[in-house]
Amino acid sequence: DVKVTQSSRYLVKRTGEKVFLECVQDMDHENMFWYRQDPGLGLRLIYFSYDVKMKEKGDIPEGYSVSREKKERFSLILESASTNQTSMYLCASSTSLGPGRLELFFGSGTQLSVL
Amino acid sequence: AQKITQTQPGMFVQEKEAVTLDCTYDTSDPSYGLFWYKQPSSGEMIFLIYQGSYDQQNATEGRYSLNFQKARKSANLVISASQLGDSAMYFCAMREWGGRRALTFGSGTRLQVQP
């Protein structure tokens, strides 16, 4: 089974702190993603990566950065956490299954509270 | 612009009845894929079903079927014979083949199955 592991299930941070959310996948997937999930807004794409050291901005990249130094690991960084970044963060990975089809495998999520 | 629209924030259905969850999408790309995911209260995201824009037949996976109406740009999920375990959030998502290598999600529908 594909496993996508997020380092923390719950995290509480202070405003202004630098926050690292870690994600590791064990299936040699080339694509990795960070989404945030908020009630009524669904999942919104923050950043994604299709190869080591490659990254692309998603729909809401402001206030976030990412790092992918190894294929299996994709980190989300909040440079200076703010209260509006309180959210559920979901990491996912996928391989391409032919034209158009991506089957995403998700981690269990990190509920981040910024106080 | 929002590309995936789920207009039903919440739905109720009686056990053993069928239910349709609505999803409309917007794209100018003739080639795209449509996905449905289930998120139970545990938080995990479970892939349910996929429909490609060129697929001639509606996709089916067990009790799940996708009512794909291309001209209307709708991709409704039909769950037959609802079970208590179907109570969850359901997300519709899309990927444009000519676009980025990531899924765009809708805001979700919370389904509650009543005994």
Side-chain angles (χ1 to χ4, degrees), chain A residues 9 31 33 35 37 40-43 45 48 50 58-59 90 96 99-104 106, chain B residues 33 35 37 39 42-45 47 50 89 91 95 97 100-108:
Chain A
R9 187 72 177 94
N31 307 309
F33 312 85
Y35 289 88
Q37 180 178 1
L41 297 177
L43 279 71
L45 182 67
F48 66 103
Y50 51 87
D59 299 317
L90 292 168
S96 295
R101 181 152 182 186
L102 285 175
E103 185 166 347
L104 265 59
F106 283 85
Chain B
F35 305 75
Y37 281 81
Q39 186 182 46
S42 58
E44 61 187 309
M45 292 285 285
F47 167 74
Y50 168 82
M89 282 290 291
F91 292 98
R95 188 210 162 189
W97 292 11
R100 65 188 181 188
R101 208 182 303 184
L103 300 190
T104 299
F105 286 82
S107 56

Side-chain angles (χ1 to χ4, degrees), chain A residues 37 43 90 104 106-107, chain B residues 6 21 35-49 63-64 77 79 82-93 105 108-111 113:
Chain A
Q37 180 178 1
L43 279 71
L90 292 168
L104 265 59
F106 283 85
Chain B
Q6 294 179 255
L21 305 184
F35 305 75
W36 278 92
Y37 281 81
K38 172 184 178 181
Q39 186 182 46
S41 56
S42 58
E44 61 187 309
M45 292 285 285
I46 302 167
F47 167 74
L48 294 179
I49 198 166
R63 293 186 299 110
Y64 303 108
L77 179 70
I79 305 174
S82 297
Q83 301 172 357
L84 295 178
D86 294 333
S87 295
M89 282 290 291
Y90 289 82
F91 292 98
C92 181
F105 286 82
T109 296
R110 180 169 298 281
L111 177 67
V113 180

Side-chain angles (χ1 to χ4, degrees), chain B residues 8-9 11-12 15-16 20 30-31 35 39-41 46 54-55 57 60 66 73 83 89 93-94 96-97 113:
Chain B
Q8 306 154 313
M11 291 275 289
F12 289 92
E15 198 176 5
K16 299 180 185 176
T20 298
S31 305
F35 305 75
Q39 186 182 46
S41 56
I46 302 167
Y54 294 114
D55 292 343
Q57 294 188 328
T60 60
L66 200 152
K73 293 187 175 178
Q83 301 172 357
M89 282 290 291
M94 180 177 73
E96 296 163 323
W97 292 11
V113 180

Side-chain angles (χ1 to χ4, degrees), chain A:
Chain A
D1 279 352
V2 175
K3 195 165 184 182
V4 180
T5 304
Q6 295 185 230
S7 53
S8 304
R9 187 72 177 94
Y10 299 96
L11 210 52
V12 180
K13 296 292 181 181
R14 296 284 183 190
T15 303
E17 279 193 74
K18 190 168 186 176
V19 180
F20 292 86
L21 301 183
E22 305 288 344
C23 177
V24 178
Q25 52 96 0
D26 66 358
M27 282 301 291
D28 203 35
H29 285 169
E30 61 268 24
N31 307 309
M32 295 190 74
F33 312 85
W34 276 107
Y35 289 88
R36 65 175 281 178
Q37 180 178 1
D38 300 286
L41 297 177
L43 279 71
R44 293 179 292 166
L45 182 67
I46 305 172
Y47 267 96
F48 66 103
S49 169
Y50 51 87
D51 202 352
V52 175
K53 297 190 185 294
M54 305 300 288
K55 61 185 179 185
E56 284 199 29
K57 293 181 180 179
D59 299 317
I60 50 164
E62 297 79 17
Y64 303 95
S65 62
V66 290
S67 172
R68 194 167 181 199
E69 296 296 319
K70 294 185 178 180
K71 192 174 185 180
E72 67 270 19
R73 186 180 297 270
F74 192 36
S75 302
L76 180 69
I77 304 156
L78 287 67
E79 296 290 342
S80 177
S82 64
T83 54
N84 63 12
Q85 292 178 310
T86 291
S87 185
M88 171 67 80
Y89 290 86
L90 292 168
C91 175
S93 74
S94 82
T95 190
S96 295
L97 300 174
R101 181 152 182 186
L102 285 175
E103 185 166 347
L104 265 59
F105 295 88
F106 283 85
S108 54
T110 296
Q111 179 63 52
L112 173 67
S113 297
V114 182
L115 306 178

